[in-house]
Amino acid sequence: MNLTLYGYDNHWIAVDCGMMIRQDLPNSPLQVPNVDTPKALGIVPKALFITHGHEDHIGAVAWLWPMWNCPIYATPLAAGLLRLKFAEHQLSSAAIHVIEPGEALESGPFTLRYLLLTHSIPESCALMMLAGGYRVLHTGDWKLDPEPLIGTPISAAQFKALAPIDLVVGDSTNAPMPGHSGSEGDVARALAKTLSRCEGRVVVSCFASNLARVLAIGRAAHQCGRRISLMGRSMERMVSVARGLGYMDDLPPLVPNHDLGYLPPDEVVIIATGSQGESRAALQRLAQGRHPSVDLQPGDNVIFSAKVIPGNERPIDQLKKRLTQLGVRIYDEVNHPELHATGHPAQEELIKLYQWLKPKHLMPVHGEARHQQAHQTIAEQLGISAPLTPVNGDLLRFDNYGLHCEAHHVQPPCIVNQNSVVPHPGLDAAISTARRGSLYLALPVTISDHGWARIGRLMLDATNASPLDEDSFIDWLDEQLDQIAADTLADLRQALQPRLIHWLADHMQHMPDVHLQITAAEMQETS
């Protein structure tokens, strides 16, 4: 959820404050960062700096900012999206300050400068931070795109001028991927070529925040003599804010959804939300025949111009089955990988950036453990010190001796429920657990051939609980996961939890309070 706190000389600042969707819980609620640890440590950020406008970087601001009441700094697009969120929460947006890429500002001992990078949303920025003689670069999300469609390519000279950097806090999302990520320009040409061959209605589903992709689809549709329509609230909101900033001036005129029925199918392109199989998104409603304005017909086309997020495989498969039953032709990353490009750097891009910056130390963040470890390997090959792969709740120190983990604080999940932030269901702080203790289990999983499989680290924290044979427990857990045939993370949780409690009751002297968190992880590729 990308909430990072930086402190120097007892002055703290926050960078980003995002949310995630908990697909393993009923109704897929939002989860936001737990701020109990900083509160207990007396840490209150004096300012919040936003790197870009993706939901996993700004989605929790409206929920958590009232606890801090500090200035918020964001580039124009992210600031516009935050103002809409604040209005929905009936909060004043006076604390939101617009800062242009390239500008610098100060907060206590910190001097920060926003440095423009390319990503899958405009105005994504790295933060160059100076404090106490240390030079730290927080990259945020980025890639090296020579043709981003919206905005300008990264300035190599600007980043070379920063060298040497003491510490890079860097994006690991695609560190295991060899080579170079694709360009939005290449995707735009592939979309135009594909659309020119399609007959019947075309629906293209992509992330609403990928404005370059939306613009590319609009231009391609115009070239083929088709009209475009936006479908989905988040898509309409994102395009509206971007248009106000002049980013979408080349987007062809839009057709309202309710007018689509008057147009011949081969004159229409619908740009829709729902590429991840979300139950309430526009594409799901189309697949189920529940959209009030459009009915998909045999011969229509659906293009998935987005990567499958780990954990969403099954709902996406179910969505594709429904579309297939309607006689719809499907284009996705499997049969047409040219129709999508990632927003994160592959290995060649990471190497190039570090050759520019010449960092002494690296802290790999984002992604799963294997992504961080792949990032570590790259650093080692370049002679960069990268001793740690931090996890949520780590309190880290950076000084003249390098990076050290001073403490780890357990982060029980917090769920948004009925417009308030509450502990994860089952984590009731009012219940005393002094006698029985608590067992927190964070379980990263992925789909296997038979059922599910554990991937990466099993985070197990048995606070004040009776002893547990972890090796036996892990062996048993892996066997259970392989046997469970569940379609979603929520179904997996429902099937696993009673078995888990039964096993623990048989193997522990006192039954603790059990807090199970299941998350989606990527399957590690094998050679």
Side-chain angles (χ1 to χ4, degrees), residues 475-519:
D475 290 342
W476 172 86
L477 185 62
D478 288 342
E479 290 178 3
Q480 298 302 308
L481 288 171
D482 189 55
Q483 297 170 7
I484 295 175
D487 288 335
T488 66
L489 291 178
D491 293 338
L492 175 62
R493 177 190 176 83
Q494 189 172 4
L496 179 62
Q497 182 124 0
R499 304 185 192 191
L500 177 64
I501 292 174
H502 187 269
W503 190 93
L504 293 172
D506 286 344
H507 291 81
M508 298 184 74
Q509 183 176 1
H510 301 291
M511 185 63 190
D513 283 347
V514 179
H515 311 303
L516 173 63
Q517 179 179 6
I518 303 177
T519 57

mmCIF file of all heavy atoms in Angstrom, residues 475-519:
data_model
loop_
_atom_site.group_PDB
_atom_site.id
_atom_site.type_symbol
_atom_site.label_atom_id
_atom_site.label_comp_id
_atom_site.label_asym_id
_atom_site.label_seq_id
_atom_site.Cartn_x
_atom_site.Cartn_y
_atom_site.Cartn_z
ATOM 1 N N ASP A 475 4.515 -28.004 6.562
ATOM 2 C CA ASP A 475 4.274 -29.195 5.732
ATOM 3 C C ASP A 475 2.782 -29.487 5.632
ATOM 4 O O ASP A 475 2.262 -29.783 4.546
ATOM 5 C CB ASP A 475 5.003 -30.408 6.326
ATOM 6 C CG ASP A 475 6.517 -30.297 6.179
ATOM 7 O OD1 ASP A 475 6.967 -29.488 5.339
ATOM 8 O OD2 ASP A 475 7.243 -31.011 6.906
ATOM 9 N N TRP A 476 2.091 -29.424 6.757
ATOM 10 C CA TRP A 476 0.644 -29.668 6.750
ATOM 11 C C TRP A 476 -0.086 -28.617 5.916
ATOM 12 O O TRP A 476 -0.983 -28.943 5.133
ATOM 13 C CB TRP A 476 0.115 -29.656 8.184
ATOM 14 C CG TRP A 476 -1.384 -29.706 8.256
ATOM 15 C CD1 TRP A 476 -2.177 -30.810 8.241
ATOM 16 C CD2 TRP A 476 -2.262 -28.570 8.333
ATOM 17 N NE1 TRP A 476 -3.498 -30.448 8.295
ATOM 18 C CE2 TRP A 476 -3.578 -29.078 8.355
ATOM 19 C CE3 TRP A 476 -2.072 -27.193 8.384
ATOM 20 C CZ2 TRP A 476 -4.696 -28.239 8.424
ATOM 21 C CZ3 TRP A 476 -3.171 -26.360 8.449
ATOM 22 C CH2 TRP A 476 -4.471 -26.883 8.468
ATOM 23 N N LEU A 477 0.315 -27.372 6.074
ATOM 24 C CA LEU A 477 -0.346 -26.279 5.361
ATOM 25 C C LEU A 477 -0.199 -26.445 3.848
ATOM 26 O O LEU A 477 -1.163 -26.257 3.088
ATOM 27 C CB LEU A 477 0.252 -24.946 5.815
ATOM 28 C CG LEU A 477 -0.379 -23.674 5.263
ATOM 29 C CD1 LEU A 477 -1.835 -23.572 5.681
ATOM 30 C CD2 LEU A 477 0.402 -22.449 5.757
ATOM 31 N N ASP A 478 1.009 -26.814 3.397
ATOM 32 C CA ASP A 478 1.223 -27.000 1.961
ATOM 33 C C ASP A 478 0.351 -28.130 1.412
ATOM 34 O O ASP A 478 -0.184 -28.035 0.303
ATOM 35 C CB ASP A 478 2.702 -27.294 1.687
ATOM 36 C CG ASP A 478 3.577 -26.068 1.873
ATOM 37 O OD1 ASP A 478 3.027 -24.951 1.877
ATOM 38 O OD2 ASP A 478 4.806 -26.217 2.011
ATOM 39 N N GLU A 479 0.194 -29.203 2.190
ATOM 40 C CA GLU A 479 -0.665 -30.310 1.756
ATOM 41 C C GLU A 479 -2.121 -29.855 1.624
ATOM 42 O O GLU A 479 -2.816 -30.206 0.664
ATOM 43 C CB GLU A 479 -0.577 -31.468 2.756
ATOM 44 C CG GLU A 479 0.756 -32.200 2.754
ATOM 45 C CD GLU A 479 0.806 -33.298 3.800
ATOM 46 O OE1 GLU A 479 -0.237 -33.508 4.469
ATOM 47 O OE2 GLU A 479 1.872 -33.915 3.969
ATOM 48 N N GLN A 480 -2.588 -29.070 2.587
ATOM 49 C CA GLN A 480 -3.977 -28.602 2.544
ATOM 50 C C GLN A 480 -4.220 -27.690 1.345
ATOM 51 O O GLN A 480 -5.240 -27.814 0.655
ATOM 52 C CB GLN A 480 -4.319 -27.860 3.846
ATOM 53 C CG GLN A 480 -4.221 -28.709 5.096
ATOM 54 C CD GLN A 480 -5.122 -29.927 5.042
ATOM 55 O OE1 GLN A 480 -6.310 -29.813 4.771
ATOM 56 N NE2 GLN A 480 -4.543 -31.100 5.272
ATOM 57 N N LEU A 481 -3.303 -26.789 1.099
ATOM 58 C CA LEU A 481 -3.471 -25.865 -0.018
ATOM 59 C C LEU A 481 -3.561 -26.613 -1.341
ATOM 60 O O LEU A 481 -4.360 -26.260 -2.216
ATOM 61 C CB LEU A 481 -2.301 -24.875 -0.055
ATOM 62 C CG LEU A 481 -2.270 -23.817 1.043
ATOM 63 C CD1 LEU A 481 -0.940 -23.065 0.997
ATOM 64 C CD2 LEU A 481 -3.428 -22.840 0.894
ATOM 65 N N ASP A 482 -2.748 -27.651 -1.486
ATOM 66 C CA ASP A 482 -2.740 -28.408 -2.741
ATOM 67 C C ASP A 482 -4.054 -29.160 -2.961
ATOM 68 O O ASP A 482 -4.428 -29.451 -4.100
ATOM 69 C CB ASP A 482 -1.572 -29.395 -2.733
ATOM 70 C CG ASP A 482 -1.365 -30.050 -4.088
ATOM 71 O OD1 ASP A 482 -1.211 -29.309 -5.083
ATOM 72 O OD2 ASP A 482 -1.376 -31.285 -4.158
ATOM 73 N N GLN A 483 -4.780 -29.442 -1.873
ATOM 74 C CA GLN A 483 -6.014 -30.225 -1.971
ATOM 75 C C GLN A 483 -7.265 -29.358 -2.156
ATOM 76 O O GLN A 483 -8.302 -29.871 -2.575
ATOM 77 C CB GLN A 483 -6.187 -31.088 -0.714
ATOM 78 C CG GLN A 483 -5.093 -32.126 -0.510
ATOM 79 C CD GLN A 483 -5.177 -32.774 0.855
ATOM 80 O OE1 GLN A 483 -6.118 -32.551 1.620
ATOM 81 N NE2 GLN A 483 -4.158 -33.585 1.176
ATOM 82 N N ILE A 484 -7.181 -28.087 -1.817
ATOM 83 C CA ILE A 484 -8.374 -27.229 -1.817
ATOM 84 C C ILE A 484 -8.641 -26.699 -3.221
ATOM 85 O O ILE A 484 -7.802 -26.039 -3.824
ATOM 86 C CB ILE A 484 -8.213 -26.063 -0.821
ATOM 87 C CG1 ILE A 484 -8.139 -26.602 0.608
ATOM 88 C CG2 ILE A 484 -9.371 -25.087 -0.948
ATOM 89 C CD1 ILE A 484 -7.863 -25.545 1.660
ATOM 90 N N ALA A 485 -9.822 -26.995 -3.727
ATOM 91 C CA ALA A 485 -10.244 -26.480 -5.042
ATOM 92 C C ALA A 485 -11.202 -25.316 -4.809
ATOM 93 O O ALA A 485 -12.415 -25.504 -4.658
ATOM 94 C CB ALA A 485 -10.916 -27.580 -5.856
ATOM 95 N N ALA A 486 -10.661 -24.131 -4.747
ATOM 96 C CA ALA A 486 -11.463 -22.921 -4.509
ATOM 97 C C ALA A 486 -11.268 -21.963 -5.681
ATOM 98 O O ALA A 486 -10.159 -21.827 -6.201
ATOM 99 C CB ALA A 486 -11.043 -22.253 -3.197
ATOM 100 N N ASP A 487 -12.332 -21.288 -6.073
ATOM 101 C CA ASP A 487 -12.263 -20.399 -7.233
ATOM 102 C C ASP A 487 -11.654 -19.048 -6.904
ATOM 103 O O ASP A 487 -11.047 -18.407 -7.755
ATOM 104 C CB ASP A 487 -13.663 -20.191 -7.827
ATOM 105 C CG ASP A 487 -14.166 -21.434 -8.538
ATOM 106 O OD1 ASP A 487 -13.324 -22.236 -8.984
ATOM 107 O OD2 ASP A 487 -15.391 -21.607 -8.642
ATOM 108 N N THR A 488 -11.828 -18.577 -5.686
ATOM 109 C CA THR A 488 -11.363 -17.236 -5.312
ATOM 110 C C THR A 488 -10.606 -17.314 -3.991
ATOM 111 O O THR A 488 -10.672 -18.318 -3.256
ATOM 112 C CB THR A 488 -12.536 -16.265 -5.156
ATOM 113 O OG1 THR A 488 -13.350 -16.678 -4.038
ATOM 114 C CG2 THR A 488 -13.397 -16.220 -6.421
ATOM 115 N N LEU A 489 -9.914 -16.222 -3.661
ATOM 116 C CA LEU A 489 -9.229 -16.147 -2.376
ATOM 117 C C LEU A 489 -10.218 -16.213 -1.221
ATOM 118 O O LEU A 489 -9.921 -16.773 -0.164
ATOM 119 C CB LEU A 489 -8.397 -14.865 -2.295
ATOM 120 C CG LEU A 489 -7.175 -14.783 -3.213
ATOM 121 C CD1 LEU A 489 -6.493 -13.439 -3.046
ATOM 122 C CD2 LEU A 489 -6.195 -15.902 -2.952
ATOM 123 N N ALA A 490 -11.402 -15.644 -1.412
ATOM 124 C CA ALA A 490 -12.424 -15.689 -0.365
ATOM 125 C C ALA A 490 -12.871 -17.130 -0.118
ATOM 126 O O ALA A 490 -13.038 -17.565 1.033
ATOM 127 C CB ALA A 490 -13.608 -14.818 -0.755
ATOM 128 N N ASP A 491 -13.059 -17.907 -1.210
ATOM 129 C CA ASP A 491 -13.443 -19.314 -1.061
ATOM 130 C C ASP A 491 -12.312 -20.108 -0.406
ATOM 131 O O ASP A 491 -12.559 -21.000 0.414
ATOM 132 C CB ASP A 491 -13.768 -19.918 -2.428
ATOM 133 C CG ASP A 491 -15.018 -19.314 -3.047
ATOM 134 O OD1 ASP A 491 -15.840 -18.759 -2.291
ATOM 135 O OD2 ASP A 491 -15.160 -19.393 -4.279
ATOM 136 N N LEU A 492 -11.069 -19.798 -0.784
ATOM 137 C CA LEU A 492 -9.924 -20.483 -0.183
ATOM 138 C C LEU A 492 -9.870 -20.225 1.315
ATOM 139 O O LEU A 492 -9.646 -21.140 2.109
ATOM 140 C CB LEU A 492 -8.630 -20.015 -0.856
ATOM 141 C CG LEU A 492 -7.322 -20.554 -0.260
ATOM 142 C CD1 LEU A 492 -7.264 -22.074 -0.370
ATOM 143 C CD2 LEU A 492 -6.124 -19.917 -0.940
ATOM 144 N N ARG A 493 -10.068 -18.988 1.695
ATOM 145 C CA ARG A 493 -10.057 -18.636 3.115
ATOM 146 C C ARG A 493 -11.148 -19.397 3.868
ATOM 147 O O ARG A 493 -10.927 -19.923 4.953
ATOM 148 C CB ARG A 493 -10.248 -17.130 3.265
ATOM 149 C CG ARG A 493 -10.324 -16.654 4.708
ATOM 150 C CD ARG A 493 -10.752 -15.195 4.774
ATOM 151 N NE ARG A 493 -10.912 -14.783 6.148
ATOM 152 C CZ ARG A 493 -9.917 -14.381 6.926
ATOM 153 N NH1 ARG A 493 -8.698 -14.328 6.457
ATOM 154 N NH2 ARG A 493 -10.150 -14.029 8.168
ATOM 155 N N GLN A 494 -12.336 -19.458 3.289
ATOM 156 C CA GLN A 494 -13.462 -20.124 3.930
ATOM 157 C C GLN A 494 -13.194 -21.618 4.111
ATOM 158 O O GLN A 494 -13.596 -22.210 5.110
ATOM 159 C CB GLN A 494 -14.732 -19.913 3.099
ATOM 160 C CG GLN A 494 -16.006 -20.384 3.782
ATOM 161 C CD GLN A 494 -17.240 -19.983 3.004
ATOM 162 O OE1 GLN A 494 -17.144 -19.420 1.917
ATOM 163 N NE2 GLN A 494 -18.409 -20.273 3.560
ATOM 164 N N ALA A 495 -12.504 -22.222 3.143
ATOM 165 C CA ALA A 495 -12.202 -23.654 3.234
ATOM 166 C C ALA A 495 -11.036 -23.930 4.186
ATOM 167 O O ALA A 495 -11.013 -24.951 4.881
ATOM 168 C CB ALA A 495 -11.893 -24.196 1.845
ATOM 169 N N LEU A 496 -10.046 -23.041 4.200
ATOM 170 C CA LEU A 496 -8.825 -23.297 4.972
ATOM 171 C C LEU A 496 -8.976 -22.992 6.452
ATOM 172 O O LEU A 496 -8.428 -23.708 7.294
ATOM 173 C CB LEU A 496 -7.670 -22.480 4.377
ATOM 174 C CG LEU A 496 -6.316 -22.610 5.077
ATOM 175 C CD1 LEU A 496 -5.811 -24.051 5.008
ATOM 176 C CD2 LEU A 496 -5.298 -21.660 4.438
ATOM 177 N N GLN A 497 -9.711 -21.943 6.798
ATOM 178 C CA GLN A 497 -9.734 -21.474 8.190
ATOM 179 C C GLN A 497 -10.190 -22.563 9.174
ATOM 180 O O GLN A 497 -9.540 -22.776 10.195
ATOM 181 C CB GLN A 497 -10.613 -20.231 8.321
ATOM 182 C CG GLN A 497 -10.637 -19.668 9.737
ATOM 183 C CD GLN A 497 -10.220 -18.216 9.787
ATOM 184 O OE1 GLN A 497 -9.903 -17.609 8.766
ATOM 185 N NE2 GLN A 497 -10.207 -17.646 10.972
ATOM 186 N N PRO A 498 -11.314 -23.297 8.923
ATOM 187 C CA PRO A 498 -11.703 -24.319 9.897
ATOM 188 C C PRO A 498 -10.678 -25.444 10.027
ATOM 189 O O PRO A 498 -10.439 -25.958 11.126
ATOM 190 C CB PRO A 498 -13.043 -24.837 9.355
ATOM 191 C CG PRO A 498 -13.261 -24.214 8.036
ATOM 192 C CD PRO A 498 -12.295 -23.109 7.865
ATOM 193 N N ARG A 499 -10.048 -25.828 8.901
ATOM 194 C CA ARG A 499 -9.005 -26.852 8.971
ATOM 195 C C ARG A 499 -7.826 -26.353 9.807
ATOM 196 O O ARG A 499 -7.231 -27.106 10.590
ATOM 197 C CB ARG A 499 -8.508 -27.219 7.572
ATOM 198 C CG ARG A 499 -9.593 -27.689 6.617
ATOM 199 C CD ARG A 499 -8.971 -28.148 5.309
ATOM 200 N NE ARG A 499 -9.960 -28.341 4.247
ATOM 201 C CZ ARG A 499 -9.703 -28.926 3.095
ATOM 202 N NH1 ARG A 499 -8.477 -29.369 2.842
ATOM 203 N NH2 ARG A 499 -10.643 -29.067 2.186
ATOM 204 N N LEU A 500 -7.482 -25.084 9.617
ATOM 205 C CA LEU A 500 -6.365 -24.475 10.336
ATOM 206 C C LEU A 500 -6.619 -24.484 11.840
ATOM 207 O O LEU A 500 -5.761 -24.869 12.644
ATOM 208 C CB LEU A 500 -6.156 -23.052 9.827
ATOM 209 C CG LEU A 500 -5.087 -22.200 10.501
ATOM 210 C CD1 LEU A 500 -3.720 -22.804 10.279
ATOM 211 C CD2 LEU A 500 -5.134 -20.779 9.947
ATOM 212 N N ILE A 501 -7.800 -24.080 12.229
ATOM 213 C CA ILE A 501 -8.127 -24.029 13.658
ATOM 214 C C ILE A 501 -8.125 -25.435 14.256
ATOM 215 O O ILE A 501 -7.646 -25.654 15.374
ATOM 216 C CB ILE A 501 -9.500 -23.339 13.842
ATOM 217 C CG1 ILE A 501 -9.375 -21.847 13.466
ATOM 218 C CG2 ILE A 501 -10.005 -23.493 15.273
ATOM 219 C CD1 ILE A 501 -10.690 -21.110 13.462
ATOM 220 N N HIS A 502 -8.641 -26.421 13.501
ATOM 221 C CA HIS A 502 -8.665 -27.805 13.990
ATOM 222 C C HIS A 502 -7.243 -28.326 14.195
ATOM 223 O O HIS A 502 -6.938 -28.979 15.209
ATOM 224 C CB HIS A 502 -9.427 -28.684 12.987
ATOM 225 C CG HIS A 502 -9.657 -30.083 13.467
ATOM 226 N ND1 HIS A 502 -8.775 -31.108 13.209
ATOM 227 C CD2 HIS A 502 -10.665 -30.622 14.205
ATOM 228 C CE1 HIS A 502 -9.225 -32.221 13.757
ATOM 229 N NE2 HIS A 502 -10.381 -31.957 14.364
ATOM 230 N N TRP A 503 -6.333 -28.055 13.249
ATOM 231 C CA TRP A 503 -4.953 -28.523 13.371
ATOM 232 C C TRP A 503 -4.274 -27.874 14.576
ATOM 233 O O TRP A 503 -3.586 -28.540 15.359
ATOM 234 C CB TRP A 503 -4.179 -28.218 12.095
ATOM 235 C CG TRP A 503 -2.818 -28.870 12.040
ATOM 236 C CD1 TRP A 503 -2.516 -30.078 11.490
ATOM 237 C CD2 TRP A 503 -1.596 -28.348 12.568
ATOM 238 N NE1 TRP A 503 -1.175 -30.345 11.629
ATOM 239 C CE2 TRP A 503 -0.578 -29.307 12.292
ATOM 240 C CE3 TRP A 503 -1.247 -27.184 13.245
ATOM 241 C CZ2 TRP A 503 0.736 -29.125 12.670
ATOM 242 C CZ3 TRP A 503 0.076 -26.990 13.634
ATOM 243 C CH2 TRP A 503 1.057 -27.949 13.346
ATOM 244 N N LEU A 504 -4.440 -26.574 14.714
ATOM 245 C CA LEU A 504 -3.805 -25.867 15.828
ATOM 246 C C LEU A 504 -4.334 -26.357 17.168
ATOM 247 O O LEU A 504 -3.581 -26.481 18.141
ATOM 248 C CB LEU A 504 -4.043 -24.354 15.685
ATOM 249 C CG LEU A 504 -3.349 -23.675 14.493
ATOM 250 C CD1 LEU A 504 -3.821 -22.233 14.360
ATOM 251 C CD2 LEU A 504 -1.839 -23.728 14.633
ATOM 252 N N ALA A 505 -5.638 -26.652 17.233
ATOM 253 C CA ALA A 505 -6.221 -27.153 18.482
ATOM 254 C C ALA A 505 -5.608 -28.492 18.873
ATOM 255 O O ALA A 505 -5.460 -28.803 20.064
ATOM 256 C CB ALA A 505 -7.733 -27.283 18.330
ATOM 257 N N ASP A 506 -5.225 -29.303 17.875
ATOM 258 C CA ASP A 506 -4.622 -30.614 18.148
ATOM 259 C C ASP A 506 -3.141 -30.526 18.490
ATOM 260 O O ASP A 506 -2.593 -31.464 19.091
ATOM 261 C CB ASP A 506 -4.794 -31.541 16.939
ATOM 262 C CG ASP A 506 -6.221 -32.045 16.788
ATOM 263 O OD1 ASP A 506 -6.991 -31.932 17.757
ATOM 264 O OD2 ASP A 506 -6.554 -32.531 15.691
ATOM 265 N N HIS A 507 -2.477 -29.436 18.093
ATOM 266 C CA HIS A 507 -1.020 -29.380 18.198
ATOM 267 C C HIS A 507 -0.486 -28.290 19.126
ATOM 268 O O HIS A 507 0.732 -28.178 19.294
ATOM 269 C CB HIS A 507 -0.399 -29.185 16.797
ATOM 270 C CG HIS A 507 -0.559 -30.370 15.904
ATOM 271 N ND1 HIS A 507 -1.721 -30.619 15.217
ATOM 272 C CD2 HIS A 507 0.297 -31.391 15.589
ATOM 273 C CE1 HIS A 507 -1.580 -31.735 14.495
ATOM 274 N NE2 HIS A 507 -0.373 -32.221 14.707
ATOM 275 N N MET A 508 -1.362 -27.500 19.720
ATOM 276 C CA MET A 508 -0.904 -26.443 20.633
ATOM 277 C C MET A 508 -1.554 -26.646 22.002
ATOM 278 O O MET A 508 -2.718 -27.067 22.108
ATOM 279 C CB MET A 508 -1.252 -25.055 20.080
ATOM 280 C CG MET A 508 -0.580 -24.752 18.742
ATOM 281 S SD MET A 508 -0.903 -23.074 18.137
ATOM 282 C CE MET A 508 0.149 -22.108 19.237
ATOM 283 N N GLN A 509 -0.812 -26.309 23.025
ATOM 284 C CA GLN A 509 -1.312 -26.514 24.378
ATOM 285 C C GLN A 509 -2.518 -25.629 24.655
ATOM 286 O O GLN A 509 -3.502 -26.059 25.251
ATOM 287 C CB GLN A 509 -0.189 -26.226 25.383
ATOM 288 C CG GLN A 509 -0.597 -26.479 26.834
ATOM 289 C CD GLN A 509 0.565 -26.274 27.788
ATOM 290 O OE1 GLN A 509 1.666 -25.925 27.369
ATOM 291 N NE2 GLN A 509 0.324 -26.502 29.073
ATOM 292 N N HIS A 510 -2.445 -24.365 24.215
ATOM 293 C CA HIS A 510 -3.555 -23.434 24.375
ATOM 294 C C HIS A 510 -3.893 -22.858 23.009
ATOM 295 O O HIS A 510 -3.008 -22.440 22.266
ATOM 296 C CB HIS A 510 -3.201 -22.300 25.338
ATOM 297 C CG HIS A 510 -2.830 -22.774 26.713
ATOM 298 N ND1 HIS A 510 -3.738 -23.338 27.582
ATOM 299 C CD2 HIS A 510 -1.636 -22.790 27.358
ATOM 300 C CE1 HIS A 510 -3.123 -23.670 28.708
ATOM 301 N NE2 HIS A 510 -1.843 -23.351 28.600
ATOM 302 N N MET A 511 -5.164 -22.835 22.694
ATOM 303 C CA MET A 511 -5.599 -22.335 21.386
ATOM 304 C C MET A 511 -5.531 -20.811 21.354
ATOM 305 O O MET A 511 -6.242 -20.132 22.100
ATOM 306 C CB MET A 511 -7.035 -22.796 21.100
ATOM 307 C CG MET A 511 -7.527 -22.419 19.730
ATOM 308 S SD MET A 511 -6.544 -23.210 18.446
ATOM 309 C CE MET A 511 -7.178 -22.345 17.006
ATOM 310 N N PRO A 512 -4.670 -20.212 20.501
ATOM 311 C CA PRO A 512 -4.578 -18.748 20.432
ATOM 312 C C PRO A 512 -5.697 -18.173 19.567
ATOM 313 O O PRO A 512 -6.430 -18.901 18.889
ATOM 314 C CB PRO A 512 -3.214 -18.528 19.765
ATOM 315 C CG PRO A 512 -3.092 -19.711 18.838
ATOM 316 C CD PRO A 512 -3.749 -20.863 19.550
ATOM 317 N N ASP A 513 -5.826 -16.848 19.590
ATOM 318 C CA ASP A 513 -6.662 -16.176 18.606
ATOM 319 C C ASP A 513 -5.924 -16.225 17.263
ATOM 320 O O ASP A 513 -4.758 -15.830 17.175
ATOM 321 C CB ASP A 513 -6.917 -14.716 18.999
ATOM 322 C CG ASP A 513 -7.952 -14.608 20.105
ATOM 323 O OD1 ASP A 513 -8.618 -15.623 20.374
ATOM 324 O OD2 ASP A 513 -8.091 -13.522 20.696
ATOM 325 N N VAL A 514 -6.599 -16.713 16.237
ATOM 326 C CA VAL A 514 -5.964 -16.928 14.931
ATOM 327 C C VAL A 514 -6.393 -15.828 13.970
ATOM 328 O O VAL A 514 -7.586 -15.592 13.787
ATOM 329 C CB VAL A 514 -6.341 -18.308 14.355
ATOM 330 C CG1 VAL A 514 -5.687 -18.507 12.991
ATOM 331 C CG2 VAL A 514 -5.924 -19.411 15.311
ATOM 332 N N HIS A 515 -5.428 -15.163 13.372
ATOM 333 C CA HIS A 515 -5.680 -14.087 12.414
ATOM 334 C C HIS A 515 -5.011 -14.460 11.089
ATOM 335 O O HIS A 515 -3.793 -14.408 10.968
ATOM 336 C CB HIS A 515 -5.139 -12.750 12.928
ATOM 337 C CG HIS A 515 -5.544 -12.456 14.343
ATOM 338 N ND1 HIS A 515 -6.856 -12.407 14.731
ATOM 339 C CD2 HIS A 515 -4.805 -12.225 15.452
ATOM 340 C CE1 HIS A 515 -6.911 -12.128 16.027
ATOM 341 N NE2 HIS A 515 -5.673 -12.027 16.490
ATOM 342 N N LEU A 516 -5.820 -14.872 10.125
ATOM 343 C CA LEU A 516 -5.319 -15.374 8.850
ATOM 344 C C LEU A 516 -5.484 -14.318 7.769
ATOM 345 O O LEU A 516 -6.580 -13.813 7.555
ATOM 346 C CB LEU A 516 -6.084 -16.647 8.453
ATOM 347 C CG LEU A 516 -5.811 -17.223 7.065
ATOM 348 C CD1 LEU A 516 -4.352 -17.657 6.950
ATOM 349 C CD2 LEU A 516 -6.751 -18.391 6.783
ATOM 350 N N GLN A 517 -4.389 -13.994 7.100
ATOM 351 C CA GLN A 517 -4.412 -13.062 5.971
ATOM 352 C C GLN A 517 -3.841 -13.780 4.754
ATOM 353 O O GLN A 517 -2.690 -14.218 4.757
ATOM 354 C CB GLN A 517 -3.588 -11.815 6.272
ATOM 355 C CG GLN A 517 -3.562 -10.820 5.115
ATOM 356 C CD GLN A 517 -2.763 -9.572 5.447
ATOM 357 O OE1 GLN A 517 -2.140 -9.501 6.506
ATOM 358 N NE2 GLN A 517 -2.772 -8.602 4.574
ATOM 359 N N ILE A 518 -4.679 -13.933 3.709
ATOM 360 C CA ILE A 518 -4.253 -14.598 2.477
ATOM 361 C C ILE A 518 -4.077 -13.550 1.390
ATOM 362 O O ILE A 518 -4.976 -12.735 1.163
ATOM 363 C CB ILE A 518 -5.275 -15.660 2.029
ATOM 364 C CG1 ILE A 518 -5.500 -16.692 3.135
ATOM 365 C CG2 ILE A 518 -4.813 -16.358 0.758
ATOM 366 C CD1 ILE A 518 -6.539 -17.734 2.809
ATOM 367 N N THR A 519 -2.932 -13.557 0.746
ATOM 368 C CA THR A 519 -2.669 -12.602 -0.320
ATOM 369 C C THR A 519 -2.233 -13.340 -1.575
ATOM 370 O O THR A 519 -1.748 -14.468 -1.511
ATOM 371 C CB THR A 519 -1.562 -11.602 0.082
ATOM 372 O OG1 THR A 519 -0.375 -12.340 0.422
ATOM 373 C CG2 THR A 519 -1.986 -10.768 1.272
#
